[in-house]
Amino acid sequence: MTTATTPAPQLAAPRTDFVLLGVAIAGVSLSAPLIAATAAPALAVAFWRNAFAVGALTPVAWFRYRARLRALTRREVSLTVGAGALLALHFALWLPSLSMTSVASSTALCTTTPIWTTLALRLRGHRPPALVWSGTLAACVGVMMLTGVDLSLSPRALAGDALALGGGIAAAGYVLLGAEVRRSVDTVPYTYLCYGTAAAGLLAASLLSGADLTSYSGATWVKLAVLTLAAQLIGHSLLNRVVANLGASVTSTAILLETPGAALIAALWLGQQPPALAYPALLVIMAGLALVVRAGRAN
């Protein structure tokens, strides 16, 4: 019997999950360059990527998983809706922070997600091995090597820093709830309800902020569609797929690879040269992730 202090035993993750994790990171790494190239408000972009994903998943969810959706328990629904709300909160906090503080500060603070994930697991009674702590901190150091520490003392910048930090904490909650739900719920029903909840929350935030939701060019709609396919349907959905076996610590730490991945994609696609520390930072993040994975296998 599983208790609050004894996590359920986790089967060894198959090699396929690590391959899918790599594909997922490649998908989410396209997010920042695509958003930078898309002429639409940040909250509107976040709304449409979730709304389009719900539209794409609807036929599969209703024709193949309708019975499973109807059979969801109250607890499963509550946790999934909670995960979707936290995903919406992550976007709603982080994206506005990019215009209030430096991109470097926003990225560094938002990618503290694995630290909050590990702390939350500790508070729930799980004792992460020393390798998990070491790997998590090493991976976060790698991100800071790439983004730099550029905290400003202006009130607006400090508010942006706080929003970015809140976005990282919300992302940790999203990953943790997803790992819990995915123990008993298939990927499609989970992502369908999760993205639907996130889309509803982001729609409300967009309307309250007065963000333009429709007056875009054809090229912008194409970029939104590509963003949905790459970052949402492939990236986030595969993360939701593998978190059941890999666990919250490994998944949240691997997401840190999005930062150097986005920098390299921006260099190839947008002609933005990556900083000199991009490659050393990538190696440090990979080393940190390897420590977390090793700890999971040894546990």
Side-chain angles (χ1 to χ4, degrees), residues 60-153:
V60 179
W62 283 98
F63 285 103
R64 293 192 58 186
Y65 292 93
R66 184 184 304 180
R68 185 65 186 93
L69 282 166
R70 289 176 174 173
L72 290 175
T73 66
R74 181 176 299 179
R75 179 177 182 274
E76 289 169 342
V77 171
S78 298
L79 290 175
T80 303
V81 169
L86 287 170
L87 178 60
L89 183 61
H90 163 68
F91 285 128
L93 292 175
W94 177 44
L95 295 182
S97 77
L98 292 168
S99 62
M100 299 174 65
T101 187
S102 69
V103 173
S105 294
S106 177
T107 303
L109 289 168
C110 192
T111 52
T112 56
T113 294
I115 294 178
W116 307 115
T117 301
T118 306
L119 285 173
L121 289 172
R122 179 67 183 87
L123 291 174
R124 290 173 58 189
H126 177 50
R127 297 180 181 274
L131 281 179
V132 170
W133 288 105
S134 300
T136 296
L137 293 176
C140 289
V141 168
V143 171
M144 291 184 181
M145 285 173 57
L146 180 59
T147 61
V149 179
D150 185 28
L151 301 180
S152 171
L153 295 180

Side-chain angles (χ1 to χ4, degrees), residues 234-289:
I234 294 177
H236 274 271
S237 295
L238 286 181
L239 289 174
N240 291 328
R241 159 69 173 78
V242 302
V243 73
N245 287 328
L246 297 182
S249 293
V250 172
T251 304
S252 61
T253 304
I255 292 174
L256 293 181
L257 291 169
E258 176 185 353
T259 303
L264 296 177
I265 291 173
L268 295 174
W269 181 29
L270 302 177
Q272 299 178 1
Q273 290 303 313
L277 287 175
Y279 298 104
L282 176 59
L283 292 177
V284 173
I285 296 172
M286 289 292 292
L289 177 59

Side-chain angles (χ1 to χ4, degrees), residues 214-226:
T214 57
S215 302
Y216 310 145
S217 66
T220 296
W221 286 112
V222 169
K223 289 172 183 175
L224 287 171
V226 174

